[in-house]
Amino acid sequence: MVGRGELTDKAWARIEPLLPAVAGNGRRWRDHRQVINAILTGAPWRDLPERYGPWKTAHERLRRWTADGTWDRILDTAVVKDDSVGAVEWTISVDSTHVRAHQHAAGARKKGAAPAPGSKPFAVDGEALGRSRGGLTSKIHLAVDGRGLPMSILLTPGQAGDNPQLLTLLEEISVRRDGPGRPRKRPDRVVADKAYSHPSTRAAMRRRGIGFVSPEREDQIARRHAKGSLGGRPPAFDPAIYAGRNVVERCFNRLKQFRDLATRYAKRSAYFRAEITIAAAILWLRQDLQDTP
């Protein structure tokens, strides 16, 4: 029986071929599906139910595959590649959400274990933990396509502003095609709330040839009016397109159904981002399976 939040048989059939069959020492891995379901439970490692096997096995698999980029490759494969048939809807909505960090998430060592050759280091300054009105928090910055499916993920401390992360978030979007050709990186338009409304942001979107739909803030309107004719015309704004921005809010709601994402327990930001990436891949697989006749 598949438990709530665990991989379904159909989703597992898509993920299984993407995982390495043999460990570096030539021995076969413990059941991958069992391990991934263990990671998705959100339970503290030492409280992991026995049916998921040894907690050290799940933690080691999370650590190793975070280092070698396995989770990102799974998401990259889960995203429908051939955008020419309209599978990826290139009206990108962006937003952020705070995630309360449990006290267990604090206190990571400043220097993590040495990563394997060619893999990313774990330890980063601050580990994306910060202080905001909600206390000790992390902030997930997310870009989704027109159906609300995750396209790129960025993790910052909770007090970080939204607008400074926008260009970095968009640069992380890259959709390979099944056939020849370079990956597509540029959306048709970006939809964002007032937190992203800034003249420098609008100028950056124009330079990239990307439509930008975001309401002006009141202080920006007042400043433009104070300049009179020198203030220029108000930026174009389409309320109908902006109304579709709620897809990113709905995506956050779906991601937070995974208990390991609703509250952060991981000390390393790399591990927490890996958990978000796994959940994002599952959302894509669910949608793909719904679209399959």
Side-chain angles (χ1 to χ4, degrees):
M1 180 181 295
V2 177
R4 188 177 67 172
E6 295 184 351
L7 292 172
T8 64
D9 293 339
K10 291 183 178 180
W12 173 241
R14 293 287 306 278
I15 289 179
E16 185 179 16
L18 308 177
L19 301 173
V22 181
N25 56 11
R27 300 173 58 185
R28 292 191 63 83
W29 298 95
R30 187 183 183 89
D31 183 11
H32 286 328
R33 184 175 182 177
Q34 183 186 56
V35 169
I36 293 177
N37 285 334
I39 295 171
L40 293 174
T41 62
W45 291 117
R46 289 172 176 79
D47 297 335
L48 199 65
E50 291 184 3
R51 71 190 188 94
Y52 294 114
W55 69 266
K56 289 185 177 180
T57 300
H59 181 270
E60 175 61 19
R61 201 77 52 86
L62 175 64
R63 186 199 67 80
R64 180 176 295 192
W65 287 354
T66 298
D68 65 15
T70 295
W71 306 119
D72 287 310
R73 287 194 295 273
I74 290 175
L75 177 58
D76 182 59
T77 304
V79 174
V80 177
K81 301 301 187 303
D82 192 1
D83 64 274
S84 62
V85 297
V88 175
E89 297 185 9
W90 285 94
T91 293
I92 301 297
S93 296
V94 298
D95 206 349
S96 69
T97 186
H98 285 91
V99 176
R100 184 66 184 270
H102 193 273
Q103 60 184 2
H104 293 167
R109 295 179 182 178
K110 295 183 183 294
K111 293 184 179 180
S119 61
K120 301 177 182 179
F122 286 124
V124 296
D125 291 341
E127 296 294 348
L129 288 171
R131 294 285 177 180
S132 65
R133 292 180 180 178
L136 187 65
T137 56
S138 294
K139 183 181 279 190
I140 302 173
H141 303 264
L142 188 65
V144 304
D145 81 335
R147 295 176 298 172
L149 296 173
M151 300 291 290
S152 65
I153 302 161
L154 187 63
L155 200 60
T156 65
Q159 76 276 13
D162 289 349
N163 188 55
Q165 321 305 327
L166 177 60
L167 296 182
T168 303
L169 192 63
L170 296 179
E171 288 169 359
E172 292 293 321
I173 296 175
S174 180
V175 179
R176 292 187 295 107
R177 302 175 187 269
D178 283 332
R182 293 180 297 178
R184 177 168 178 176
K185 299 178 67 69
R186 188 174 66 182
D188 295 329
R189 65 176 62 87
V190 172
V191 186
D193 63 18
K194 291 183 179 181
Y196 299 88
S197 176
H198 193 274
S200 63
T201 302
R202 297 183 187 278
M205 294 294 103
R206 286 194 297 270
R207 288 195 299 270
R208 290 165 170 78
I210 301 173
F212 187 61
V213 181
S214 179
E216 260 191 311
R217 296 203 312 261
E218 293 182 1
D219 62 323
Q220 295 170 354
I221 296 174
R223 191 177 304 114
R224 179 166 49 79
H225 287 170
K227 294 181 179 179
S229 60
L230 298 178
R233 293 178 297 178
F237 177 71
D238 189 324
I241 294 176
Y242 184 73
R245 194 190 66 84
N246 63 77
V247 292
V248 68
E249 304 290 353
R250 299 205 301 268
C251 184
F252 280 131
N253 289 338
R254 291 195 294 271
L255 287 174
K256 288 188 176 182
Q257 294 301 310
F258 295 90
R259 286 171 292 181
D260 57 328
L261 304 186
T263 301
R264 173 178 168 176
Y265 294 94
K267 292 183 183 294
R268 297 289 180 200
S269 60
Y271 296 156
F272 187 55
R273 186 187 181 280
E275 293 167 356
I276 301 170
T277 303
I278 297 169
I282 291 174
L283 294 186
W284 269 98
L285 291 171
R286 285 177 181 173
Q287 180 65 40
D288 190 27
L289 293 171
Q290 289 174 5
D291 294 342
T292 301

